[in-house]
Amino acid sequence: MTIKLIKKSESKAELLLDGRLDTTSAPAAQDVFLKVAGQYAELSLNFTDLAYVSSAGLHLLAMAFMLLDHLWATVVPGNAWMTCVGRLAFPIFAFLIAEGYFHTKNLKKYMLRLLLCALVSEIPFNLMYAGRIFYPIHQNVLWTFLLALVLIRW
């Protein structure tokens, strides 16, 4: 896979992805995205020449979308387009959670890892959204995904 950064102006750029976005190419694409994500006020992703996207590629896209949503909520307020794009992360992650359910060898370990991640990320999430350690009104999305796994199993 090739990734080309096309600078359109000081505040606008486009990432052009060509080839296959899969397990071997996703880490490199993630590194490039994370490097340029904060440098431009407007960053577009061009997938026109992308021939294949694996679950690793979907995971990368969902993480990029989620990063945009979180940047909008914390660092770059006022850019509503970032949260609109960021909301695409949830259905992609939900699909990957369902796929994980059907492909895991050990559901108990899968759910335990998800529970551990939910617990570890809860305090930073609360600090980001409410500025305090305990915030019972709004929880991170990993709890929703864990509940979804429980309901799928049930």
Side-chain angles (χ1 to χ4, degrees):
M1 182 176 91
T2 58
I3 305 168
K4 184 188 289 185
L5 178 65
I6 302 168
K7 190 173 178 181
K8 297 187 174 193
S9 72
E10 289 300 315
S11 63
K12 290 183 181 182
E14 177 180 4
L15 275 179
L16 178 64
L17 284 79
D18 185 10
R20 297 171 55 94
L21 185 56
D22 56 21
T23 306
T24 54
S25 61
Q30 179 180 352
D31 290 343
V32 170
F33 179 80
L34 290 176
K35 242 183 248 181
V36 300
Q39 296 177 5
Y40 299 97
E42 198 171 308
L43 179 65
S44 60
L45 302 174
N46 186 337
F47 301 124
T48 305
D49 297 325
L50 204 58
Y52 173 80
V53 179
S54 71
S55 63
L58 283 175
H59 193 120
L60 172 69
L61 290 174
M63 286 190 312
F65 295 157
M66 184 177 63
L67 176 65
L68 286 174
D69 194 31
H70 290 192
L71 284 173
W72 168 82
T74 57
V75 180
V76 196
N79 288 319
W81 69 271
M82 293 173 88
T83 195
C84 292
V85 172
R87 300 304 173 168
L88 295 172
F90 181 85
I92 296 171
F93 279 130
F95 170 77
L96 293 171
I97 288 288
E99 282 290 301
Y101 171 82
F102 289 108
H103 294 287
T104 188
K105 291 181 177 140
N106 189 330
L107 182 61
K108 187 176 179 181
K109 283 184 181 179
Y110 183 49
M111 292 174 75
L112 200 57
R113 282 193 307 271
L114 193 57
L115 174 63
L116 182 64
C117 288
L119 288 169
V120 167
S121 64
E122 186 61 32
I123 291 175
F125 180 85
N126 290 344
L127 289 171
M128 181 181 77
Y129 273 102
R132 54 188 175 177
I133 291 175
F134 183 67
Y135 186 61
I137 296 170
H138 194 193
Q139 305 305 310
N140 75 59
V141 74
L142 296 177
W143 297 106
T144 304
F145 292 143
L146 185 59
L147 179 61
L149 282 176
V150 168
L151 292 174
I152 291 172
R153 178 70 175 123
W154 185 36

